[in-house]
Each structure stands twice: as structure tokens, then as C-alpha cells.
Amino acid sequence: MADFLSAYSIQRWLESCPQGYLENTEYGHVPGEKEPERLLEDEFFRQRAISMTVQLVAGERCALAASSGLINAAPDEPSKRFLATQTLDEARHVEIFTQRLYDLGVKKDDLESVIAEFANPNLVKFAETLLEKVDKKDFVAGVVGQNIVLEGMAFSVFEMLHAGVKERNPRFASILSGTIADERRHVGFGENRIGSLIQQHPEKKPEIQQMQKQMTYYMLATFADRFRARDADEERRRFDAMGDGKRVEAEWNGMNLAEVPAEDLEGLLADTVLKEFKTRLGRIGIEYQTPDRP
Ligand SMILES: [Fe+2]
Ligand SMILES: [Fe+2]
């Protein structure tokens, strides 16, 4: 418990996060840095960036509701304090991705309607499945759903996005890398805190496994919707045109994202996240449940 206390304390959070990798940043990036002009001028890419960023806002709003909701359900004081830091992290993520929507041209008055229009219905169901547990003050299920499933997914998605944009959009890449550093801390808490609680409450396993299976299904359905709706040919053509014929370095999991077909990318992302789930759930004594493939 002593290590747990210091690793997830507010003091450690202050030193590593606001006074560490976020020092001298503005909404997660170098102050004054702008989105690439080519992105803002190309209506196809601008709309696509808005629609993608809406999914991030929707996911982070869920994380904010879950981490804040779990504070009062937590059985011990150190977990409450950690969740308070996580609550601020998630609120920051909501803020920086919302700010990105404004920077991409979304009007402040239109924010909620744009989110309602573009938020993927399966992602909304994914969030509802988790928030049901939080509303019931079910701490163990809530932390597994939030800090293992939701954040395990977010972590891999952010890393893939980061690899895809680091060369052409350094501003969005730095927003993402600060977020990834936060998510790494949150996932670590989930694993460290929840393993012993599951040992104490083995009777909760079936219900947690059921939640995981449902959330995994909605996640895979979200990936399927997102990737299969893409006009990959049009995207590739425009992407090539923007790159002046130069090969883009976008390595992720041994593949160049700029060259992988959309359907392969869906499989690669799904496989990466599911592998993470299996490993992390295994560490806390939960057996991964395979959902139907959407
Ligand atoms: Fe987050
Ligand atoms: Fe998080």
C-alpha cells in the first residue's frame, strides 16, 4: 500500500503532470501552435477531423462522468484522491478536444448539436454500459469498465492516431501525447487497485465479465462503423496530394498507417486493443469474454 500511496498521490500527480509534461503548454500543445493550414482549407479533411474529434470528446465526457462518479463509491481514501486527479485529467481531455473542435471551425453555439450529430451510436452505448455501473456505485465493475476497458481502448486509439499525425500535424500529436501519458497513469491505477478487490469479491466476476463483453461488442461496432464508412480511395488520393509525393512516416505496430488499407487498419486496431484487454484483465484475475464480431 505504501508504494500505491505515493505512486497515485496528488503530490506525484502535480510533479509529473501539471509541473511536468504539461508545463508551458496551452490546451496540450505549444502556445500559439496552429492546426495545419492544409487541413483547415480542405473541406473533406476538416469534416473528417471534426467527426473524429467528436468521438474523442464523447469518450472523454464518459471518462469524466465515470471517474468523478466513482470517487464517492471508492472504499478507501487514497483511491478517492487518485480519482480526484483523474477527474481533473478527464475534464482537461474534454476541454482540449472541445477546443480542437472550435479550432477546426465548429461554432460555440453549435457544439452540442455537432456532437449529437456525429457521436457514434455504438460509442454512446459503450458509455452507457459503463455509466450504469457507476450510477449504481459499483466501484469494482466501474473501475474495470473505466480504467481497463475504456482506457485500454483509448490508449491504443490515441497511440494509433499519434503515429498517424506526428509528421504532418505536430500540434495534434502533442495534444495526444499528453493525453496518452495521463491514460497510462489511469490504466496503471486500475490494474494495481482492482486486482486485490477482485480477489476479495470473486462473486462479482460474472457480472464484470458480462459488462466487459458488452462494452467490447460496442467498441468493435464503433470501429467497424468508423472504418467501413471511410471513403478510403478518396482519402488516399487527397492524402497523397497533400504530401507532395513524399512517403509519410507513420509507423504503428510494424505497419505504415499511410499505406494500410482501411479494412486492414480496422482489424489491426481491434486486435491490438483486444490483446491489451486480455493481458490487463488477466493480471486482475478476470477472464476475457469474446463478444460476437459486429
Ligand atoms: Fe481521458
Ligand atoms: Fe483516462
Side-chain angles (χ1 to χ4, degrees), residues 46-277:
R46 194 181 71 89
Q47 285 300 335
R48 216 178 61 109
I50 289 174
S51 156
M52 189 271 286
T53 306
V54 163
Q55 314 312 318
L56 304 185
V57 173
E60 296 295 354
R61 281 183 174 186
C62 171
L64 172 59
S67 51
S68 57
L70 288 169
I71 295 177
N72 284 330
D76 59 284
E77 291 299 321
S79 295
K80 287 177 193 287
R81 295 200 297 273
F82 172 78
L83 286 165
T85 67
Q86 180 172 353
T87 297
L88 198 53
D89 292 335
E90 305 303 359
R92 186 182 82 85
H93 301 163
V94 173
E95 183 170 272
I96 56 182
F97 293 130
T98 302
Q99 183 59 43
R100 183 169 196 244
L101 287 177
Y102 297 148
D103 296 338
L104 289 167
V106 172
K107 304 257 178 307
K108 293 202 169 159
D109 285 346
D110 297 340
L111 178 69
E112 294 309 322
S113 61
V114 168
I115 291 173
E117 183 186 349
F118 289 109
N120 185 286
N122 282 304
L123 183 61
V124 173
K125 289 200 189 105
F126 173 92
E128 285 168 358
T129 309
L130 165 61
L131 293 177
E132 237 172 68
K133 303 290 181 196
V134 176
D135 286 345
K136 287 187 194 141
K137 297 211 178 300
D138 186 339
F139 182 72
V140 183
V143 171
V144 175
Q146 156 79 16
N147 296 58
I148 309 267
V149 180
L150 188 154
E151 306 196 296
M153 169 185 78
F155 194 74
S156 296
V157 169
F158 291 154
E159 285 204 319
M160 185 190 73
L161 291 173
H162 182 265
V165 302
K166 66 174 187 288
E167 194 170 300
R168 290 186 179 186
N169 191 344
R171 177 202 212 237
F172 187 40
S174 28
I175 294 176
L176 287 167
S177 51
T179 312
I180 290 168
D182 293 340
E183 299 305 352
R184 186 172 291 132
R185 189 165 56 243
H186 304 163
V187 172
F189 168 82
E191 280 185 19
N192 283 308
R193 183 67 193 100
I194 246 24
S196 59
L197 282 175
I198 287 184
Q199 271 177 0
Q200 290 162 31
H201 300 281
E203 76 284 358
K204 290 199 62 71
K205 277 189 196 184
E207 189 202 333
I208 291 173
Q209 287 172 176
Q210 179 58 28
M211 172 196 70
Q212 171 261 306
K213 190 174 169 182
Q214 251 185 325
M215 288 180 77
T216 307
Y217 174 83
Y218 290 132
M219 175 192 82
L220 293 174
T222 306
F223 291 170
D225 292 343
R226 297 291 303 165
F227 285 103
R228 292 174 207 171
R230 280 167 60 166
D231 184 346
D233 292 339
E234 174 67 359
E235 204 169 292
R236 183 61 34 80
R237 199 183 59 70
R238 286 169 181 265
F239 204 67
D240 288 347
M242 270 168 73
D244 308 322
K246 271 192 309 190
R247 185 177 184 278
V248 180
E249 287 306 327
E251 293 292 321
W252 184 68
N253 274 355
M255 290 171 102
N256 188 337
L257 295 176
E259 290 163 4
V260 191
E263 55 285 9
D264 293 359
L265 207 53
E266 180 194 339
L268 181 65
L269 176 61
D271 290 348
T272 305
V273 177
L274 298 186
K275 210 173 115 207
E276 288 263 321
F277 283 0

